[in-house]
Each structure stands twice: as structure tokens, then as C-alpha cells.
Amino acid sequence: MMKQGSGLPGTPKAEFGLTRRNLLAGAAGFAGVAMAPGGIFSVARAADGFIEITAGPGQYKLYKEDAAASDLWLYNGGLPGPEIRVRRGERVKVRLINALEEGTSIHWHGVRIDNAMDGVSGLTQDPVPPGGTFEYDFVAPDAGTYWYHAHNKSWNQVGRGLYGPLIVEEEEPVFDRDHDLMLIMDDWRLNDDGRLDTESFGMLMDWAHGGRLGNWLTVNGKSNPSFSLKAGEPYRIRLVNASNARILELDPDSIGGQVIGYDGQVLTAAEQTTTEALVIGPAQRVDLLVVPETGRDLALVEVSTSQRFTFAEFKVSGEGKGNPPAQLPQANTIPSPDLANAKRVVLDMTGGAMGRMGPMRYKGRELTQDDIRATGQVWAFNGIANLDEEPLFDAARGETVLLETVNNTAWPHAIHLHGHHFRIVSADGSLGPWRDTFLIGREETVKVAFQADNPGKWLLHCHMLEHAAAGMTTWIRVT
Ligand SMILES: [Cu+2]
């Protein structure tokens, strides 16, 4: 596969740890809650079969137990929101109830979904107003690791906690619930008292640089949780990066195992993880097959900064020899791109701090330098900041699109296409694994190909949520 971003040039190196607590952060750790794998969240259904998810404000402790609680926005009062788990081909029915003081909607990240259910405020639906409800009802066509999150002012709403896990199981799951762990990782900017720094949301400085980077990582909303694993038994560990902007680089030796899937799509053969970091950009997922060894505890360790930062532990108990499953989960069937007959589209990314900023159009007019501070628009796709009346391109249903993204900025980005999965096209023309979000380093060009087989209006944007808000958002139309 393409080296998706290991040591991406331009990756910011914001350190972890609260300023006065750096010494406590790594070594001492926090007791955390010992969690049984799987089944830690339960979700109730209403009489009509809908799962009810209320988005609303809540108090939540992100840091150690005796630290102050943060003002977050949560789904059903939890972090993450309730786990939704269905089988491939089943319907997902969710009633969103908006108890926030601003409009919201839910996007089902990575699901090749009916366009009307994609949940993008301002493109596929109006935001659900405060006090309002919206019913999502769609088929989950592919098994895999997905997540859902707010898609209105995402930089603020996701950044305050509005996200949750969505797991679509195979018809015959290879791993039972005790051996199937969903770990949603998130990067938070905390104040010295351990509370979320809410005052810095929307800072133009973040929007024009690497996005909102934090100083603390949680897993499933917990600081340094500890999981219990049994030696010799195979586990599927589903890793999701819910960070606003942080590209996570995990030490592969500390977690062990092999990659068996990216962005929800399982591979046909497990990939041995190399000594390079396991790089997971914002919104990306990696599924691992881990078979713990006797006497060797495992951990999630972030290595992109100058200090190794351990943020989850796996206590391995019992005796057992490696016993991998006889087979991997059955892969999904996604229509392959036809490169010989592809429509080629170039996406030129410009703007941001230390970058070239040519003329930029926003809402149909040319932006002046003075406008930039007023609108917060500092990035552009092909010279246009944010959603325009017209799509980036039209594709006929079934047509293959070869999207060539040229990063003429000084920053890395994580580009997400809605409604489709694509494959990265290497220089030699070979195709990488299926993905729905790709990383691109500064001055880098990445080509992806997909068959535009899902009709509708689909967002194409940077999943560094500040970048998306600051201009790195466009849309495509499949007719
Ligand atoms: Cu970006």
C-alpha cells in the first residue's frame, strides 16, 4: 500500500500533556476503568424501532477522576455516543433529537448510503433546528468499522464530543463480541485544570495552520483506559481517529498485530505491520488482528511528538499460544474503478499559513485580504473556498473518476469523499486498499480512483475540521 503519511512533511508536532502536569501525564497514568471488551454501551430502541439519539450539552470528565468536568456536547449524555451495531445489509434507523441551541445533523462516516440520509447540513438536508427531530433510515451495505458524527459546524460540534461508533458486522462474524473492540481515539485541548479549552474554538490561527490540535488523548472518552485481553486469543481491534485535526502515529510494536482493514473495508489478506508508525489521520480507521502473547501487555502509544505518549493499556492474562482465526472477515463487494475509461479531475489545494494564496472566490465573489478575517476563509479547492453553487464536477452514474489532488499548501490534509470508497493509485498504476479518507503531505500529489455509482450530491472535504470550515470543502454530483 501507499505509505499513507508516515512522517508526512508538514505534520505539526504539538506535544501532549498539560503544561503543569507533563510529568504526571505519561508515567503515572490514571487508573482508568477496566473495561470488558465489547458490549460496553447499550442502546434502547423506541417502540417504532428507531434508536433515539439526543444531541445535547453535558458535563463530562475528560481528564483524571478528581479533575473538573468539561462542558461537552454529547449524544445521549455519553462519550462516545451509543454504539450502533447492525449486520451487513440491515437497516439503521435513528431518530435524532436536537437538544442543542443550534442546528445539527448526523453524518454516517464511510457508509455508502442513500444521499438523502448522508446528514450533511447545507447539502443533503437542512440542519435540524433546536428542539427538532430527524429520522435517519438507511441500509448499511458494507460490513466494517464506521462512526457517526455531527455535520454542522463540525469543527465545533465534533470538537465538543458529538460522535459515536457504528459497527456493521459480517453475516457470520469471525470475532465474537468479547473479541471485538471498538476504540475511538480523540485529541483534546485541555486547560491546566483538565477541562476542555472552549475559548479557543474557532481561532483563525488554528484554521490557517494545522487545525485544532490538542494536548490530551482519550479512548472511548476515557483517560488511559485499561482493557483485559487473554493470551493466545485473537482480537479484532477497531481503531477510529475522531480528532479534529490530529494525525495519530501509533507505535506498531506496542500494540502488535496485523492490519486487516482500512476505513471499514477488510483486506483480502492481513498486512504485517512494519516498524513504521501506524498512521491514522482524522476520520480514518484501522482494523487490527491482535493475538496477545503470554506475559506481554500491549498499549496504544503515540509517537509523532518528541515524547512517547501512552494513552491506553491492554493487560494480558492467562497462558496461551498464538491462535489466529482460520479466516479473515469476508470483504465487501465494491464496484472497481475502470482506469482505462476514467474521467480525470484535478483538485488544486491552496492557501493556509506559509502557503501560496491566489485569488479566491467565496459565495460567488472574489475575496479581498480584508475579507479573510471576516469570513475565516483561508483555503481553497481550485480557487474556490467552501461550498459553491456548482459542484467540483459531475459524473455519470457508473463512471470512473480519477481524482488527482495536488497539495500546494504547507500542511498535510485528510481528504474525505462522502458516499463512496476509492482506491489510491500508485505511480505504477497499481491500486491500494479501499479507503474513504486519504492523507496527503505538503507539496504531495495523490491520485485516487472510484466508480461514481451512488447518485446524489456528495461532499468532498478535508477532515481536519478547521480546514473544512475555512474553505477546504467542495461537492461532487453523480447523476
Ligand atoms: Cu486540511
Side-chain angles (χ1 to χ4, degrees):
M1 68 161 273
M2 281 243 346
K3 287 205 183 58
Q4 268 292 282
S6 189
L8 277 176
T11 304
K13 300 293 178 203
E15 303 286 320
F16 293 107
L18 275 55
T19 48
R20 291 181 205 143
R21 291 194 168 94
N22 279 345
L23 292 175
L24 288 178
F30 302 109
V33 188
M35 293 196 225
I40 50 173
F41 308 101
S42 60
V43 58
R45 285 172 193 268
D48 59 4
F50 275 82
I51 294 166
E52 296 197 327
I53 293 186
T54 301
Q59 291 271 308
Y60 192 92
K61 280 184 189 174
L62 289 170
Y63 197 54
K64 53 194 283 191
E65 273 305 303
D66 59 0
S70 298
D71 292 317
L72 299 190
W73 294 356
L74 303 167
Y75 288 131
N76 290 359
L79 184 71
E83 181 176 286
I84 299 173
R85 197 179 265 265
V86 295
R87 288 267 159 99
R88 176 157 48 200
E90 283 182 357
R91 301 196 84 84
V92 176
K93 296 169 83 167
V94 170
R95 182 176 301 113
L96 167 64
I97 301 161
N98 186 7
L100 300 168
E101 289 177 1
E102 65 180 47
T104 193
S105 60
I106 297 181
H107 170 56
W108 310 91
H109 188 113
V111 179
R112 298 188 301 133
I113 199 170
D114 276 352
N115 191 242
M117 295 289 121
D118 199 39
V120 178
S121 291
L123 186 69
T124 66
Q125 69 170 92
D126 292 330
V128 182
T133 64
F134 190 91
E135 289 178 356
Y136 294 96
D137 183 354
F138 58 91
V139 170
D142 302 318
T145 302
Y146 305 96
W147 63 302
Y148 59 92
H149 61 79
H151 216 304
N152 187 39
K153 299 180 185 165
S154 307
W155 55 275
N156 189 37
Q157 297 193 356
V158 177
R160 288 175 192 257
L162 288 176
Y163 60 80
L166 170 60
I167 294 172
V168 184
E169 294 179 341
E170 293 80 18
E171 291 82 348
E172 290 170 20
V174 172
F175 303 87
D176 65 26
R177 291 287 287 274
D178 288 342
H179 295 81
D180 185 341
L181 281 72
M182 180 73 167
L183 305 184
I184 306 193
M185 307 173 288
D186 200 359
D187 173 41
W188 303 90
R189 186 180 294 175
L190 303 183
N191 290 321
D192 280 348
D193 61 1
R195 284 187 308 168
L196 181 67
D197 170 4
T198 53
E199 284 181 6
S200 61
F201 273 108
M203 266 176 55
L204 188 64
M205 179 71 128
D206 289 333
W207 288 32
H209 289 75
R212 181 182 171 88
L213 294 168
N215 53 5
W216 195 249
L217 297 175
T218 58
V219 174
N220 295 346
K222 303 277 191 295
S223 282
N224 205 18
S226 179
F227 299 86
S228 304
L229 304 182
K230 293 203 174 84
E233 298 184 7
Y235 291 85
R236 179 178 190 167
I237 298 186
R238 305 170 186 261
L239 299 171
V240 181
N241 184 354
S243 304
N244 274 34
R246 171 80 66 175
I247 299 172
L248 293 168
E249 298 186 25
L250 305 183
D251 174 18
D253 292 332
S254 299
I255 181 65
Q258 295 173 287
V259 174
I260 58 168
Y262 292 103
D263 293 358
Q265 306 300 333
V266 293
L267 304 169
T268 46
E271 244 180 43
Q272 200 70 46
T273 34
T274 65
T275 51
E276 283 181 272
L278 187 60
V279 178
I280 312 179
Q284 290 188 317
R285 285 88 70 212
V286 170
D287 280 39
L288 296 174
L289 165 62
V290 173
V291 187
E293 292 169 19
T294 305
R296 186 176 166 230
D297 291 342
L298 302 171
L300 294 182
V301 182
E302 218 287 341
V303 295
S304 71
T305 71
S306 62
Q307 80 200 104
R308 292 167 59 86
F309 187 80
T310 300
F311 63 106
E313 293 171 330
F314 303 84
K315 299 284 181 203
V316 177
S317 64
E319 303 275 328
K321 280 194 83 75
N323 188 22
Q327 59 189 48
L328 292 181
Q330 196 197 353
N332 301 303
T333 307
I334 301 178
S336 284
D338 172 15
L339 284 181
N341 297 293
K343 173 197 193 91
R344 180 171 169 268
V345 179
V346 174
L347 182 65
D348 176 27
M349 305 166 70
T350 54
M354 296 170 278
R356 278 163 274 164
M357 189 138 27
M360 216 164 79
R361 227 151 52 87
Y362 175 59
K363 293 189 172 166
R365 71 184 178 88
E366 202 82 10
L367 276 182
T368 65
Q369 279 297 320
D370 288 345
D371 286 335
I372 289 176
R373 193 159 287 275
T375 65
Q377 300 302 300
V378 292
W379 308 91
F381 284 159
N382 292 357
I384 297 173
N386 236 305
L387 285 185
D388 200 40
E389 290 287 307
E390 287 302 308
L392 178 70
F393 62 86
D394 277 297
R397 189 174 186 179
E399 190 171 24
T400 289
V401 176
L402 178 64
L403 180 66
E404 187 173 327
T405 303
V406 185
N407 182 5
N408 284 309
T409 80
W411 302 88
H413 302 284
I415 306 298
H416 172 46
L417 173 63
H418 286 220
H420 298 78
H421 272 69
F422 50 74
R423 298 179 73 177
I424 293 170
V425 185
S426 302
D428 64 4
S430 62
L431 297 176
W434 292 106
R435 299 215 72 140
D436 61 39
T437 305
F438 68 86
L439 282 169
I440 183 168
R442 62 187 286 183
E443 310 290 335
E444 194 184 2
T445 295
V446 173
K447 293 181 191 176
V448 304
F450 62 99
Q451 196 185 115
D453 66 332
N454 198 356
K457 298 172 169 181
W458 301 107
L459 212 62
L460 174 66
H461 66 104
C462 184
H463 220 288
M464 292 173 171
L465 301 174
E466 290 72 28
H467 292 175
M472 285 203 154
T473 300
T474 186
W475 63 289
I476 71 168
R477 182 166 50 205
V478 180
T479 51

